[in-house]
Short mmCIF file of all heavy atoms in Angstrom, two decimals:
data_model
loop_
_atom_site.label_atom_id
_atom_site.label_comp_id
_atom_site.label_asym_id
_atom_site.label_seq_id
_atom_site.Cartn_x
_atom_site.Cartn_y
_atom_site.Cartn_z
N ASP A 154 56.44 16.52 75.10
CA ASP A 154 56.18 17.78 75.82
C ASP A 154 56.20 18.99 74.95
O ASP A 154 56.42 20.09 75.44
CB ASP A 154 57.17 17.94 77.00
CG ASP A 154 58.65 17.91 76.56
OD1 ASP A 154 58.88 17.79 75.33
OD2 ASP A 154 59.52 18.00 77.42
N VAL A 155 55.96 18.82 73.66
CA VAL A 155 55.91 19.93 72.72
C VAL A 155 54.49 20.47 72.61
O VAL A 155 54.27 21.69 72.52
CB VAL A 155 56.44 19.49 71.34
CG1 VAL A 155 56.31 20.66 70.33
CG2 VAL A 155 57.91 19.09 71.42
N GLU A 156 53.49 19.59 72.58
CA GLU A 156 52.14 20.00 72.24
C GLU A 156 51.12 19.71 73.35
O GLU A 156 49.98 19.34 73.14
CB GLU A 156 51.70 19.30 70.98
CG GLU A 156 52.54 19.68 69.76
CD GLU A 156 52.11 18.89 68.52
OE1 GLU A 156 51.49 17.80 68.67
OE2 GLU A 156 52.46 19.34 67.40
N GLN A 157 51.49 19.86 74.64
CA GLN A 157 50.60 19.71 75.77
C GLN A 157 49.98 18.34 75.86
O GLN A 157 48.85 18.16 76.34
CB GLN A 157 49.46 20.77 75.71
CG GLN A 157 49.92 22.21 75.78
CD GLN A 157 48.73 23.14 75.70
OE1 GLN A 157 48.37 23.60 74.65
NE2 GLN A 157 48.10 23.46 76.83
N ASP A 158 50.71 17.33 75.40
CA ASP A 158 50.12 16.00 75.37
C ASP A 158 49.70 15.50 76.77
O ASP A 158 48.61 14.90 76.90
CB ASP A 158 51.09 14.99 74.73
CG ASP A 158 51.16 15.15 73.23
OD1 ASP A 158 50.24 15.74 72.64
OD2 ASP A 158 52.16 14.67 72.61
N ALA A 159 50.52 15.74 77.76
CA ALA A 159 50.21 15.25 79.12
C ALA A 159 48.86 15.88 79.57
O ALA A 159 48.00 15.18 80.13
CB ALA A 159 51.28 15.59 80.12
N GLU A 160 48.68 17.19 79.34
CA GLU A 160 47.45 17.85 79.74
C GLU A 160 46.28 17.37 78.96
O GLU A 160 45.15 17.18 79.48
CB GLU A 160 47.61 19.37 79.58
CG GLU A 160 48.63 20.01 80.54
CD GLU A 160 50.08 19.89 80.06
OE1 GLU A 160 50.31 19.28 79.00
OE2 GLU A 160 50.94 20.44 80.72
N ILE A 161 46.44 17.14 77.65
CA ILE A 161 45.36 16.70 76.79
C ILE A 161 44.95 15.30 77.19
O ILE A 161 43.70 15.03 77.30
CB ILE A 161 45.79 16.71 75.30
CG1 ILE A 161 46.05 18.16 74.83
CG2 ILE A 161 44.71 16.08 74.43
CD1 ILE A 161 46.71 18.25 73.48
N PHE A 162 45.88 14.41 77.43
CA PHE A 162 45.58 13.05 77.84
C PHE A 162 44.81 13.00 79.14
O PHE A 162 43.85 12.25 79.34
CB PHE A 162 46.85 12.19 77.93
CG PHE A 162 47.56 11.98 76.60
CD1 PHE A 162 48.88 11.60 76.58
CD2 PHE A 162 46.93 12.22 75.40
CE1 PHE A 162 49.54 11.38 75.39
CE2 PHE A 162 47.55 12.03 74.18
CZ PHE A 162 48.90 11.63 74.16
N ALA A 163 45.25 13.84 80.09
CA ALA A 163 44.60 13.86 81.41
C ALA A 163 43.18 14.43 81.27
O ALA A 163 42.20 13.94 81.90
CB ALA A 163 45.42 14.69 82.40
N LEU A 164 43.01 15.46 80.43
CA LEU A 164 41.69 16.04 80.21
C LEU A 164 40.78 15.01 79.55
O LEU A 164 39.57 14.93 79.91
CB LEU A 164 41.81 17.29 79.34
CG LEU A 164 40.51 17.96 78.96
CD1 LEU A 164 39.72 18.40 80.21
CD2 LEU A 164 40.77 19.20 78.06
N PHE A 165 41.29 14.25 78.64
CA PHE A 165 40.53 13.16 77.99
C PHE A 165 40.00 12.21 79.06
O PHE A 165 38.83 11.85 79.05
CB PHE A 165 41.42 12.43 77.02
CG PHE A 165 40.94 11.06 76.65
CD1 PHE A 165 39.83 10.87 75.82
CD2 PHE A 165 41.64 9.90 77.10
CE1 PHE A 165 39.40 9.59 75.50
CE2 PHE A 165 41.17 8.65 76.82
CZ PHE A 165 40.08 8.45 76.01
N GLY A 166 40.83 11.83 80.02
CA GLY A 166 40.36 10.98 81.09
C GLY A 166 39.26 11.54 81.94
O GLY A 166 38.30 10.90 82.26
N GLU A 167 39.37 12.87 82.20
CA GLU A 167 38.35 13.55 82.98
C GLU A 167 37.01 13.61 82.23
O GLU A 167 35.98 13.37 82.83
CB GLU A 167 38.77 14.98 83.28
CG GLU A 167 39.90 15.15 84.28
CD GLU A 167 40.15 16.57 84.62
OE1 GLU A 167 39.23 17.25 85.13
OE2 GLU A 167 41.27 17.04 84.30
N VAL A 168 37.09 13.82 80.93
CA VAL A 168 35.85 13.84 80.16
C VAL A 168 35.20 12.46 80.13
O VAL A 168 33.97 12.33 80.26
CB VAL A 168 36.12 14.34 78.71
CG1 VAL A 168 34.86 14.28 77.87
CG2 VAL A 168 36.66 15.78 78.72
N CYS A 169 36.00 11.43 79.92
CA CYS A 169 35.44 10.09 79.92
C CYS A 169 34.79 9.80 81.30
O CYS A 169 33.75 9.11 81.34
CB CYS A 169 36.58 9.05 79.72
SG CYS A 169 37.18 8.97 78.02
N ALA A 170 35.34 10.33 82.37
CA ALA A 170 34.82 10.06 83.71
C ALA A 170 33.65 10.94 84.09
O ALA A 170 33.11 10.82 85.19
CB ALA A 170 35.95 10.23 84.72
N GLY A 171 33.24 11.87 83.19
CA GLY A 171 32.03 12.62 83.46
C GLY A 171 32.14 14.15 83.43
O GLY A 171 31.10 14.79 83.72
N LEU A 172 33.25 14.71 83.04
CA LEU A 172 33.35 16.14 82.91
C LEU A 172 32.44 16.56 81.76
O LEU A 172 32.65 16.20 80.63
CB LEU A 172 34.81 16.54 82.65
CG LEU A 172 35.04 18.07 82.49
CD1 LEU A 172 34.69 18.82 83.77
CD2 LEU A 172 36.49 18.32 82.08
N ARG A 173 31.46 17.37 82.04
CA ARG A 173 30.42 17.74 81.08
C ARG A 173 29.98 19.20 81.25
O ARG A 173 30.37 19.90 82.17
CB ARG A 173 29.20 16.84 81.24
CG ARG A 173 29.40 15.36 81.06
CD ARG A 173 29.61 14.97 79.64
NE ARG A 173 29.56 13.54 79.43
CZ ARG A 173 30.60 12.72 79.58
NH1 ARG A 173 31.75 13.22 80.01
NH2 ARG A 173 30.47 11.43 79.37
N GLY A 174 29.15 19.65 80.35
CA GLY A 174 28.43 20.91 80.50
C GLY A 174 29.39 22.12 80.58
O GLY A 174 30.39 22.23 79.93
N GLY A 175 28.94 23.06 81.46
CA GLY A 175 29.66 24.31 81.59
C GLY A 175 31.07 24.13 82.03
O GLY A 175 31.98 24.89 81.67
N ALA A 176 31.31 23.15 82.91
CA ALA A 176 32.67 22.91 83.43
C ALA A 176 33.62 22.54 82.30
O ALA A 176 34.75 22.99 82.22
CB ALA A 176 32.66 21.83 84.50
N LEU A 177 33.11 21.71 81.38
CA LEU A 177 33.94 21.28 80.26
C LEU A 177 34.16 22.48 79.30
O LEU A 177 35.30 22.72 78.84
CB LEU A 177 33.24 20.14 79.50
CG LEU A 177 33.90 19.72 78.17
CD1 LEU A 177 35.34 19.30 78.37
CD2 LEU A 177 33.09 18.60 77.48
N VAL A 178 33.12 23.22 79.00
CA VAL A 178 33.26 24.35 78.11
C VAL A 178 34.26 25.36 78.67
O VAL A 178 35.09 25.90 77.96
CB VAL A 178 31.87 25.02 77.88
CG1 VAL A 178 32.03 26.36 77.13
CG2 VAL A 178 30.94 24.09 77.08
N THR A 179 34.18 25.62 79.97
CA THR A 179 35.14 26.53 80.60
C THR A 179 36.56 26.05 80.40
O THR A 179 37.47 26.87 80.09
CB THR A 179 34.81 26.73 82.06
OG1 THR A 179 33.50 27.26 82.23
CG2 THR A 179 35.83 27.60 82.77
#
Side-chain angles (χ1 to χ4, degrees):
D154 55 2
V155 176
E156 298 176 339
Q157 297 179 269
D158 285 341
E160 293 83 356
I161 296 169
F162 295 162
L164 178 58
F165 161 72
E167 289 185 62
V168 175
C169 286
L172 181 62
R173 300 288 191 275
L177 173 58
V178 171
T179 298

